[in-house]
Amino acid sequence: MKHPMNDRDKKPFFDRPRNVKRMLRVFYAVCAALLAVDFLYHRHVIHAFESVPGFYALFGLVACVVLVLAAKEMRKVLMRDEDYYEGDGAGDGDDGNGRDAD
């Protein structure tokens, strides 16, 4: 008879879809609660647009999207070929195996 808590049968926490759904529900509930508190909490602001409820949540979302889009564009400029560091070994003193040719 197999023991129910066999190490080979245990799945990591986030490999179970049920646990992932639960964690997402908790995450959404916390986000909704924080947004609700934003309507109740009085802030001392410098600029008028900061007093809009949910401003910082929206600002964070927009900033994240802008960062992702900027990173996608930067990738086009900074990306190197897959074999960029390997080279062909000609003229660089390397024999192709990471050793200097004698």
Side-chain angles (χ1 to χ4, degrees):
M1 184 168 147
K2 260 179 133 174
H3 190 272
M5 292 301 286
N6 192 349
D7 284 340
R8 288 181 283 151
D9 295 336
K10 281 198 324 192
K11 278 186 166 182
F13 185 78
F14 288 110
D15 282 351
R16 297 182 188 148
R18 183 182 68 204
N19 291 340
V20 173
K21 286 182 183 179
R22 285 180 183 167
M23 291 302 294
L24 283 174
R25 286 184 187 140
V26 168
F27 174 72
Y28 293 145
V30 168
C31 286
L34 288 172
L35 186 61
V37 167
D38 201 17
F39 284 95
L40 303 174
Y41 181 73
H42 173 70
R43 282 183 261 136
H44 298 280
V45 298
I46 296 173
H47 304 286
F49 55 83
E50 290 178 289
S51 64
V52 175
F55 167 75
Y56 289 108
L58 184 63
F59 180 77
L61 176 69
V62 170
C64 183
V65 169
V66 167
L67 283 172
V68 168
L69 294 176
K72 285 177 73 173
E73 294 303 316
M74 286 175 60
R75 185 175 188 270
K76 294 176 184 175
V77 175
L78 299 175
M79 188 69 181
R80 301 285 184 233
D81 291 333
E82 190 172 322
D83 60 346
Y84 177 76
Y85 291 105
E86 293 174 11
D88 61 357
D92 60 1
D94 188 7
D95 67 355
N97 292 322
R99 298 182 301 250
D100 287 336
D102 293 331

